[in-house]
Each structure stands twice: as C-alpha cells, then as structure tokens.
C-alpha cells in the first residue's frame, strides 16, 4: 500500500489558517489523495480528495505539489470544532479499502 | 439522509462470549466496509461488500470473525469466542461508486467493544 508521512501533531489558534502537510513520495500516477478527519469519539469524516489539481470545498482546500509527492490540507479559518486527527490517505485507483496511518492530531487554541 | 448508523454503540462482554454488531448504510449505497480501530491507532480495514457479495477480507479477520450483508442492505459483524485483544472500536462505512469516480466513504459512529 502506498504510504504517507504526516507530522504526529500540530497546534494552531482559533480563526487562523492551518496548513497540514503530507508527504507521499511513492505516489503513482493513478493514486488519489484523500483527507479524512476524526473528531473525538466519532467515526472518520471525509474532508476532501484530489488527483492532480488543487481542490476547494466548503470544508477545506487541498494543494497538491506539481510532482504530486506532497500535498497540503488548508483550513482557511480554524475553529475549535476543527480539533481532530487528520488522515492523509492514498487510494490506489480501483482499490476499495482506505489504509489509514497515524494521522496528525490538530489542537486549536482559543 | 440519516447517515450510517451502528448498533449498539457500546458493548461490554466477557471473554469467550459471542457478539454481533449491526450496520445500516446510507440508503442506496452499494458498498459497505468494516474497519477496526484500537486506541491511538488509525482504523484498519477488515472487509468490504459490494451489494451482498463479500469481495475482500483482511488477514486481520480471523476465522472467529464473520460478516454478512444479506440482500445488500444492512450488515452484521459477528465475533465468536471473544478475546481481550478484540477490544476495539468497530467502524462501518458505506459508499456509492459511480463510473469514473473515486470511492468516498461515509463512516458511522462505531461500536465500542470491551472484552473483560
């Protein structure tokens, strides 16, 4: 399974932007980059995904490096409710299961 | 759309007992997944169904574990002769796969199993 590397933890302040990095140097051309997050005592929640181009949705933005070996999840204005573990996952085209790593535990300070 | 639901939310059992969990996916989702999550770790894939067919099983799924999805709707996960190592959160997810699209999975709240 294609692997991703994320920092174990990050901290930010409320109402500030947050940039969560992910390295995936072994990505292949058909792998999608997915981000999920897991709030305390809840199941994971889909955030965003992309293939080559940057993507935006109501929750976040995904910036993908030109060589696709890294990506960054951007929360434009963090709130306390964004405190969660964020997982960056490569989904091989045609594969079904998600392979979760340890993720990044994001703490938001009021 | 009520999302993925799981029942029960919590289960405490004694070692050696059998337990069964239920998952109701989002209506019309054709894929259903089971994952297991232990404390401090990310979820680990166990198995998945496309409609009623079980198409992949992880090596984590020992012969004490069995999953079914009769009629391609709800699914059950049974663990026989539970062991303390089975204590975990069991997560269910569902998705609908459209041609040319990736598989976005929607997770339920999980069933937390504690084996004493």
């Amino acid at each position: 399974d294609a692997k991703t590397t994320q920092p174990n933890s990050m901290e930010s302040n409320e109402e500030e932007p947050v940039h969560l990095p992910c390295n995936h140097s072994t990505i292949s051309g058909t792998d999608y980059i997915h981000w999920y997050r897991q709030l305390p005592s809840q199941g994971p929640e889909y955030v965003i995904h992309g293939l080559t181009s940057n993507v935006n949705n109501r929750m976040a933005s995904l910036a993908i490096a030109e060589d696709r070996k890294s990506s960054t999840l951007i929360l434009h204005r963090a709130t306390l409710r964004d405190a969660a573990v964020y997982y960056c996952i490569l989904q091989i085209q045609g594969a079904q299961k998600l392979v979760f790593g340890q993720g990044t535990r994001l703490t938001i300070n009021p | 759309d009520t999302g993925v639901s799981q029942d029960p939310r919590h289960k405490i059992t004694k070692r050696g007992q059998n337990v069964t969990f239920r998952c109701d996916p989002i209506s019309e989702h054709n894929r259903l997944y089971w994952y297991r999550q232990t404390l401090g770790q990310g979820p680990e894939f166990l198995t998945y169904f496309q409609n009623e067919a079980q198409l992949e099983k992880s090596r984590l799924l020992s012969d004490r574990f069995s999953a079914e999805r009769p009629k391609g709707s709800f699914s059950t996960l049974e663990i026989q002769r539970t062991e303390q190592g089975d204590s975990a959160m069991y997560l269910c997810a569902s998705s609908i796969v459209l041609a040319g699209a990736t598989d976005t999975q929607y997770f339920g709240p999980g069933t937390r199993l504690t084996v004493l």
Side-chain angles (χ1 to χ4, degrees):
Chain A
D1 298 312
K3 289 196 171 181
T4 63
T5 305
Q6 301 178 251
N8 288 334
S9 62
M10 289 184 65
E11 201 168 324
S12 186
N13 298 318
E14 202 174 6
E15 299 187 3
E16 290 184 357
V18 180
H19 291 234
L20 294 161
C22 181
N23 287 319
H24 29 78
S25 58
T26 59
I27 193 170
S28 74
T30 55
D31 291 348
Y32 282 86
I33 302 161
H34 288 252
W35 283 82
Y36 283 75
R37 72 180 186 180
Q38 189 170 22
L39 279 65
S41 302
Q42 295 189 25
E45 173 188 30
Y46 167 78
V47 177
I48 201 166
H49 77 273
L51 184 61
T52 55
S53 304
N54 295 343
V55 184
N56 299 296
N57 67 19
R58 64 174 180 81
M59 288 180 71
S61 296
L62 176 60
I64 301 173
E66 202 170 326
D67 63 5
R68 300 187 72 235
K69 292 182 185 291
S70 65
S71 61
T72 302
L73 179 71
I74 303 166
L75 307 179
H76 294 285
R77 198 158 172 249
T79 71
L80 295 177
R81 289 174 294 180
D82 291 321
V85 178
Y86 287 78
Y87 296 100
C88 170
I89 301 168
L90 298 185
Q91 189 174 47
I92 300 167
Q93 187 185 42
Q96 290 73 42
K97 65 186 178 187
L98 296 173
V99 180
F100 290 81
Q102 300 275 46
T104 296
R105 182 173 298 278
L106 176 64
T107 301
I108 304 295
N109 299 315
Chain B
D1 190 348
T2 57
V4 178
S5 61
Q6 294 187 244
D7 184 68
R9 294 290 307 277
H10 303 273
K11 178 71 177 178
I12 300 174
T13 190
K14 292 183 179 178
R15 189 177 53 184
Q17 298 294 304
N18 299 343
V19 294
T20 300
F21 309 140
R22 177 181 170 120
C23 171
D24 286 272
I26 293 172
S27 178
E28 298 182 2
H29 275 195
N30 55 357
R31 284 190 181 168
L32 187 148
Y33 299 79
W34 286 100
Y35 292 81
R36 181 174 70 183
Q37 185 174 25
T38 53
L39 208 59
Q41 304 296 315
E44 297 173 291
F45 168 79
L46 292 178
T47 188
Y48 97 95
F49 294 82
Q50 175 126 348
N51 299 313
E52 65 274 11
Q54 188 173 16
L55 297 185
E56 186 177 351
K57 291 195 288 188
S58 162
R59 284 172 289 182
L60 291 174
L61 213 65
S62 75
D63 55 9
R64 296 185 298 105
F65 288 69
S66 62
E68 294 183 343
R69 193 185 182 197
K71 303 178 185 176
S73 56
F74 72 93
S75 176
T76 58
L77 177 68
E78 181 184 16
I79 309 174
Q80 295 183 326
R81 303 181 305 281
T82 52
E83 301 172 356
Q84 288 182 324
D86 297 330
S87 295
M89 176 76 82
Y90 289 83
L91 294 160
C92 176
S94 71
S95 67
I96 183 164
V97 180
L98 305 174
T102 188
D103 187 350
T104 296
Q105 298 180 23
Y106 296 87
F107 284 79
T111 294
R112 180 166 296 286
L113 173 66
T114 302
V115 181
L116 302 176

